[in-house]
Amino acid sequence: MSVTPLQALPLDQLRQRSSTKWRTYGDDVLPLFVAETDFAPAPAITAALSRAVALGDTGYTPPDPGIAAAFTGFAQRRYGWAVDPARVRTTCDVMMGVVEILRRVTEPGDRVIVTTPVYPPFFECVPEAGAVVERVPLRDTGTAWELDLVGIEAAFAGGARAILLCNPHNPTGTVHSREILAALADLAARFGAVVISDEIHAPLTHRDATFTPFLDASSVAARVGYAVVSASKAFNLAGLKCALMVTADDETSAAVRALPAEVEWRTGLFGAIAAVAAFSPESDEWLDAQLAALDANRVLLAELLAVHLPAARYRIPDAGFLAWVDLSELGWGDNPAVKVLRDARVALHLGPLFGEEGRGHVRINFGCSPEVLREAVQRIAQISR
């Protein structure tokens, strides 16, 4: 069944927003850097938050705001994943959940694997928990990126105690297969390590890919894994502060239950209210419409680059609204986003922040209107001539 793509809001309306995307640069810059999208909220979210404001419902988040039940239903509908609501606990955001879990499962100085190029806060949250980053880059097959299981095995054999997984992967948009995730779980189990899976982009998996929750990849994955999820990326709710820590085994569930009560108190009430609305069946139609818009844009970007910047290298992502683009052949140095901002007035995310593999790269947010995306690529093309 065809779905009508969601329409992005007009630029003059978007520039009235006060979030990072719209307040970091002046109005002469097209902001395609930070992971915020340009769509109006899902109607169910708007209704829930409007009601809360009207009631003055701005107090502390209750012990059971309904998120566990809402997410359980969402996971079953969207992924076919049966989550036990008793094994769900909330916190402020995904990175906070990652840090708190790492504190429980590692000792100071332990090494934690990250698979570069990867979301920049991974490099900060690991040392925040007292651990040390060990980089095992993704493997480039020539047509896709995938986890380097040989490299990960060597890191585990060398003493790494955990791996921080990005599933789906940011910035490449890779959706890891069930087989690879199950193999990763087997490696972790063999070496007595754990897997913490950041699954914030999972609801935005595109039609030609299948998302596998790490905890559902195998019985072993359920035993060695922790998942941290949120509605924030798919529904543009980052400022409302709510994430979920999910487990599927008695031992891992006990570890999350043992986290200090303050970890859960950090959950924002508006974040909880919005997440319940986002994960409800009422928001499925909106999410599908947004996916249709993003699907069109990920293909449009490939077409625009082929015409206007043929030296750019880009693989259409399996999930999300972020494009990982190699501009090395343009000769704009290790950090081409600097030149793009200065000369084209387009703000892109800085490739080197994602690790050594990000040299010569940029990350482009295509969660915008086709018109904005088209203008951004044309501006960049003009400075390449």
Side-chain angles (χ1 to χ4, degrees):
M1 183 178 67
S2 63
V3 176
T4 302
L6 201 61
Q7 299 297 304
L9 295 171
L11 268 177
D12 60 346
Q13 189 171 343
L14 290 166
R15 292 196 186 281
Q16 296 176 45
R17 290 180 172 179
S18 59
S19 62
T20 291
K21 184 173 185 178
W22 300 101
R23 286 293 179 269
T24 301
Y25 303 104
D27 287 356
D28 63 324
V29 172
L30 292 178
L32 303 182
F33 66 114
V34 72
E36 298 178 25
T37 52
D38 294 354
F39 306 102
I45 295 174
T46 299
L49 292 175
S50 297
R51 181 176 184 273
V53 171
L55 290 172
D57 191 5
T58 53
Y60 292 108
T61 306
D64 181 15
I67 301 175
F71 178 72
T72 297
F74 182 86
Q76 185 64 59
R77 290 193 317 277
R78 307 296 293 200
Y79 317 136
W81 177 27
V83 175
D84 181 350
R87 299 186 189 274
V88 176
R89 194 174 183 191
T90 66
T91 190
C92 180
D93 55 38
V94 164
M95 285 298 98
M96 183 172 289
V98 166
V99 169
E100 295 300 338
I101 293 170
L102 279 172
R103 285 178 172 146
R104 292 294 304 180
V105 301
T106 63
E107 297 293 334
D110 279 351
R111 284 177 286 120
V112 176
I113 299 165
V114 300
T115 55
T116 52
V118 76
Y119 183 51
F122 276 27
F123 301 115
E124 300 173 3
C125 72
V126 171
E128 183 180 345
V132 178
V133 168
E134 177 159 353
R135 305 179 188 212
V136 178
L138 293 178
R139 194 171 75 88
D140 187 345
T141 68
T143 58
W145 290 276
E146 62 181 33
L147 295 175
D148 179 3
L149 294 177
V150 173
I152 291 169
E153 180 178 13
F156 280 147
R161 304 304 303 148
I163 179 169
L164 180 48
L165 179 68
C166 205
N167 177 41
H169 196 86
N170 174 8
T172 65
T174 303
V175 171
H176 303 299
S177 71
R178 180 177 295 273
E179 293 73 21
I180 284 182
L181 293 175
L184 173 63
D186 290 342
L187 288 175
R190 190 199 314 169
F191 291 100
V194 302
V195 179
I196 303 171
S197 185
D198 168 1
E199 301 185 352
I200 198 169
H201 292 277
L204 295 175
T205 300
H206 294 295
R207 54 187 167 81
D208 49 1
T210 300
F211 171 70
T212 300
F214 180 77
L215 299 180
D216 196 44
S218 69
S219 59
V220 176
R223 192 172 75 246
V224 302
Y226 299 81
V228 191
V229 305
S230 177
S232 63
K233 286 295 183 287
F235 295 90
N236 203 40
L237 303 174
L240 298 187
K241 298 302 180 185
C242 177
L244 297 82
M245 299 170 288
V246 185
T247 49
D249 177 82
D250 288 347
E251 186 173 339
T252 54
S253 297
V256 171
R257 282 197 303 273
L259 293 174
E262 186 60 30
V263 173
E264 194 160 270
W265 272 109
R266 295 167 185 161
T267 307
L269 179 56
F270 275 17
I273 291 169
V276 170
F279 290 137
S280 75
E282 291 178 90
S283 293
D284 284 354
E285 183 178 350
W286 182 94
L287 180 56
D288 290 338
Q290 181 184 222
L291 278 165
L294 298 178
D295 183 15
N297 275 0
R298 66 181 180 144
V299 175
L300 173 62
L301 179 57
E303 296 169 351
L304 291 169
L305 292 174
V307 172
H308 299 289
L309 281 170
R313 287 176 286 175
Y314 160 63
R315 291 174 186 158
I316 295 176
D318 300 326
F321 51 85
L322 305 171
W324 188 235
V325 182
D326 185 353
L327 299 181
S328 300
E329 291 186 13
L330 291 173
W332 292 349
D334 287 347
N335 199 0
V338 173
K339 176 179 173 62
V340 171
L341 176 60
R342 183 186 67 233
D343 297 343
R345 307 309 288 159
V346 177
L348 308 176
H349 211 321
L350 310 176
L353 292 183
F354 295 80
E356 290 294 319
E357 299 75 18
R359 290 183 178 181
H361 289 68
V362 295
R363 195 190 72 180
I364 301 175
N365 177 346
F366 57 83
C368 57
S369 70
E371 293 76 20
V372 166
L373 188 60
R374 187 173 289 107
E375 181 180 346
V377 173
Q378 290 173 348
R379 285 190 189 187
I380 298 169
Q382 287 175 356
I383 67 170
S384 70
R385 294 169 185 161

